[in-house]
């Protein structure tokens, strides 16, 4: 025999369920209790009929001991017996019909309750109770079904609170139902448990949805994405997509800023991180190709710039080593003693300071005759870029007018 409330199998002779302490009923319990009530009715009807027959069998006043009188005295009891039999048969059939109807209503109510149609189940049970108001199983099942119906209504109210943004109120209702269900193991609460599970998911989803509006980093959104991925249902899927879209958008903007600063490696890392959460995001995928293209163009331009810089540096170095000194002027004057006074100035054309500049001067006669050569140091000994330096010296024993020219110069680059 099985408990009609929790489904637990009981041992022969048990009158109460060991699991939920419910009065047990076997497959024939409904008919037994219904027929117990029916038997009372039958007994009452039989008694009334027997009393009527007894009154009819009392001797009538003597009117003569005739054959007709004796025959009539036997006919009356037979007629009464026939009437009583007909009445009992009618009553039995009527009660049988009611019993069958009550049993059918009870079974329909149980099936409706198991399917979560609690309102329908209560209506069926109420219909059965109007016909058999003293049937304990009906009374007990109605109490249990009413409890499930009330819990379902609480969950529906919680759903309304969640939809209107009243998460705290919805949470309280959900917790209250969960507390009650911990103490209930009857199969009739299965639908309530499933609905409770759905409401918990909805609550968790809405809490995450409320939080993501204030999140502005990939890391924080990724953490919420992990949370929502463990939840099931369309609402969870919608919020998951919202998180993924926002995460992709943040990655895109962050990568844009990194590209502006020419930090292409960081930009690619940012885009790849975003794509790891949103692999189907077309905008982010296209931007990755753009980052690679700009990186390639930048590296090409950088290589050309380096090459140009190296070329310019080589040219600059060559200039500094070969053309750092530019002669501004050089003059030669013959003094009264026949010595030649040579003077002039130079400019530092190098890109770096120079020092210890020495000028080599050739001396020619007015007729072009080569007279000699002399060296002269420039002062100051240290010349900054663009600074002018001076030199002067004597070439002795010329005794004639002469011409001079600077043929070479040496210096040190600083």
């Amino acid at each position: 025999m099985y408990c009609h409330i929790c489904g637990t199998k009981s041992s022969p002779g048990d009158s109460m369920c060991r699991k939920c302490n419910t009065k047990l009923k076997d497959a024939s319990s409904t008919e037994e209790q219904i027929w117990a009530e029916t038997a009372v009715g039958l007994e009452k009807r039989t008694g009334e009929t027997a009393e009527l027959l007894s009154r009819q069998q009392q001797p009538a006043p003597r009117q003569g001991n005739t054959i007709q009188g004796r025959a009539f005295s036997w006919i009356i009891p037979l007629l009464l017996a026939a009437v009583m039999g007909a009445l009992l048969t009618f009553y039995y059939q009527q009660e049988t019909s009611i019993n069958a109807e009550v049993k059918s209503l009870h079974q329909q109510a149980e099936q409706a309750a198991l399917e979560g149609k609690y309102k329908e189940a209560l209506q069926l049970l109420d219909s059965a109770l109007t016909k058999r108001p003293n049937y304990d199983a009906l009374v007990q099942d109605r109490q249990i079904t009413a409890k499930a119906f009330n819990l379902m209504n609480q969950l529906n109210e919680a759903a309304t609170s969640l939809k209107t943004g009243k998460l705290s109120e919805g949470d309280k209702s959900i917790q209250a139902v969960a507390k009650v269900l911990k103490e209930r193991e009857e199969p009739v609460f299965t639908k309530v448990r499933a609905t409770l599970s759905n409401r918990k998911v909805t609550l968790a989803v809405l809490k995450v949805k409320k939080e993501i509006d204030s999140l502005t980093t990939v890391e924080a959104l990724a953490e919420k994405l992990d949370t929502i991925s463990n939840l099931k249902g369309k609402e969870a899927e919608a919020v998951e997509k919202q998180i993924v879209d926002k995460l992709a958008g943040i990655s895109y903007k962050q990568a844009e800023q990194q590209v502006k600063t020419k930090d292409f490696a960081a930009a690619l890392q940012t885009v790849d991180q975003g794509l790891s959460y949103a692999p189907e995001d077309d905008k982010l995928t296209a931007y990755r190709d753009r980052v690679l293209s700009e990186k390639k163009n930048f590296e090409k331009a950088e290589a050309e710039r380096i090459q140009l810089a190296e070329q310019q540096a080589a040219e600059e170095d060559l200039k500094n080593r070969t053309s750092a000194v530019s002669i501004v002027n050089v003059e030669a004057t013959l003094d009264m003693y026949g010595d030649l006074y040579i003077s002039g100035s130079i400019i530092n054309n190098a890109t770096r300071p120079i020092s210890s500049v020495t000028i080599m001067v050739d001396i020619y006669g007015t007729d072009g005759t080569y007279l000699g050569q002399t060296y002269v140091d420039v002062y100051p000994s240290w010349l900054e870029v663009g600074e002018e330096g001076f030199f002067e010296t004597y070439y002795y024993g010329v005794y004639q007018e002469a011409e001079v020219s600077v043929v070479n110069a040496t210096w040190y680059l600083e």
Side-chain angles (χ1 to χ4, degrees):
M1 187 161 53
Y2 293 87
C3 177
H4 71 290
I5 300 300
C6 66
T8 303
K9 184 175 181 181
S10 301
S11 302
D14 288 345
S15 60
M16 302 292 288
C17 177
R18 297 180 179 181
K19 188 173 184 181
C20 61
N21 293 326
T22 302
K23 184 177 180 181
L24 294 175
K25 63 175 184 179
D26 56 22
S28 60
S29 62
T30 300
E31 295 184 5
E32 288 178 358
Q33 184 166 350
I34 291 174
W35 278 111
E37 296 181 12
T38 304
V40 174
L42 286 172
E43 183 179 354
K44 181 178 179 182
R45 293 291 180 89
T46 302
E48 292 174 353
T49 304
E51 183 180 353
L52 177 61
L53 181 61
S54 175
R55 288 200 301 269
Q56 294 295 331
Q57 288 179 337
Q58 292 178 0
R62 287 178 172 245
Q63 297 180 352
N65 191 11
T66 65
I67 297 175
Q68 292 84 354
R70 289 196 297 272
F72 184 77
S73 66
W74 283 101
I75 290 173
I76 294 300
L78 290 174
L79 289 175
L80 289 176
V83 170
M84 183 181 73
L87 289 175
L88 290 176
T89 299
F90 173 77
Y91 183 74
Y92 177 81
Q93 291 175 346
Q94 185 181 32
E95 293 300 313
T96 300
S97 177
I98 293 174
N99 291 345
E101 186 178 359
V102 169
K103 182 178 179 181
S104 176
L105 289 171
H106 195 185
Q107 291 174 345
Q108 293 177 48
E110 287 181 342
Q111 184 61 35
L114 291 175
E115 294 175 359
K117 302 174 183 178
Y118 301 118
K119 186 175 181 180
E120 179 182 337
L122 288 173
Q123 292 173 346
L124 291 168
L125 289 170
D126 287 340
S127 297
L129 284 169
T130 58
K131 301 177 184 301
R132 289 288 183 259
N134 298 321
Y135 180 29
D136 292 340
L138 287 174
V139 174
Q140 190 174 28
D141 283 357
R142 193 193 187 286
Q143 292 174 347
I144 295 173
T145 304
K147 186 65 175 179
F149 180 67
N150 291 335
L151 291 177
M152 186 64 81
N153 285 339
Q154 284 183 256
L155 291 176
N156 291 335
E157 291 174 0
T160 301
S161 298
L162 296 179
K163 288 180 180 179
T164 55
K166 300 175 182 178
L167 302 188
S168 180
E169 292 183 13
D171 192 6
K172 289 180 181 178
S173 297
I174 290 172
Q175 295 301 326
V177 173
K179 183 178 181 181
V180 173
L181 285 180
K182 287 182 179 179
E183 301 175 357
R184 312 298 307 209
E185 298 182 359
E186 298 90 336
V188 73
F189 291 98
T190 300
K191 201 72 174 181
V192 180
R193 295 183 192 281
T195 304
L196 174 64
S197 179
N198 291 334
R199 296 293 181 270
K200 285 182 177 180
V201 170
T202 300
L203 176 62
V205 168
L206 292 178
K207 284 183 177 180
V208 172
K209 188 177 187 303
K210 187 175 182 180
E211 293 174 358
I212 63 176
D213 293 336
S214 60
L215 302 180
T216 57
T217 64
V218 171
E219 292 73 17
L221 287 168
E223 182 178 347
K224 293 303 175 184
L225 188 62
D226 289 339
T227 300
I228 205 72
S229 63
N230 295 324
L231 303 176
K232 304 298 181 183
K234 293 182 178 180
E235 293 176 336
E237 292 175 0
V239 174
E240 182 176 2
K241 185 178 185 304
Q242 184 178 351
I243 295 175
V244 169
D245 290 344
K246 186 171 183 179
L247 193 150
I250 291 176
S251 298
Y252 186 92
K253 290 181 180 179
Q254 185 176 341
E256 273 189 324
Q257 295 300 319
Q258 291 166 336
V259 167
K260 288 180 180 180
T261 60
K262 308 302 180 185
D263 192 353
F264 297 101
L268 282 173
Q269 183 177 359
T270 298
V271 171
D272 288 341
Q273 184 183 29
L275 286 172
S276 67
Y277 297 107
E280 298 180 359
D281 189 273
D282 295 336
K283 185 178 179 181
L284 205 56
T285 301
Y287 192 68
R288 188 180 193 280
D289 295 336
R290 180 181 169 186
V291 173
L292 288 172
S293 178
E294 292 199 20
K295 179 176 181 290
K296 182 178 180 180
N297 293 336
F298 176 78
E299 289 175 347
K300 180 180 178 181
E302 188 69 6
E304 292 175 352
R305 184 190 66 80
I306 292 173
Q307 183 179 2
L308 179 60
E310 290 176 349
Q311 182 179 349
Q312 290 176 342
E315 292 175 354
E316 180 181 299
D317 185 65
L318 179 62
K319 178 182 177 181
N320 289 340
R321 294 185 183 280
T322 61
S323 304
V325 173
S326 175
I327 304 300
V328 176
N329 64 76
V330 59
E331 298 177 350
T333 304
L334 186 65
D335 66 7
M336 58 186 303
Y337 301 107
D339 298 326
L340 194 64
Y341 174 71
I342 302 171
S343 65
S345 64
I346 66 165
I347 293 293
N348 177 10
N349 288 328
T351 58
R352 292 156 55 186
I354 59 176
S355 63
S356 303
V357 181
T358 300
I359 302 299
M360 181 187 297
V361 181
D362 282 348
I363 304 169
Y364 294 89
T366 55
D367 59 358
T369 305
Y370 177 74
L371 301 177
Q373 185 180 72
T374 187
Y375 292 89
V376 57
D377 294 329
V378 175
Y379 64 90
S381 63
W382 179 286
L383 295 178
E384 295 290 344
V385 175
E387 187 177 0
E388 185 176 9
F390 303 93
F391 59 90
E392 59 181 0
T393 188
Y394 281 93
Y395 189 77
Y396 299 100
V398 175
Y399 301 110
Q400 61 177 333
E401 294 292 336
E403 295 179 356
V404 296
S405 63
V406 176
V407 294
N408 195 15
T410 61
W411 59 88
Y412 289 100
L413 286 171
E414 300 299 332

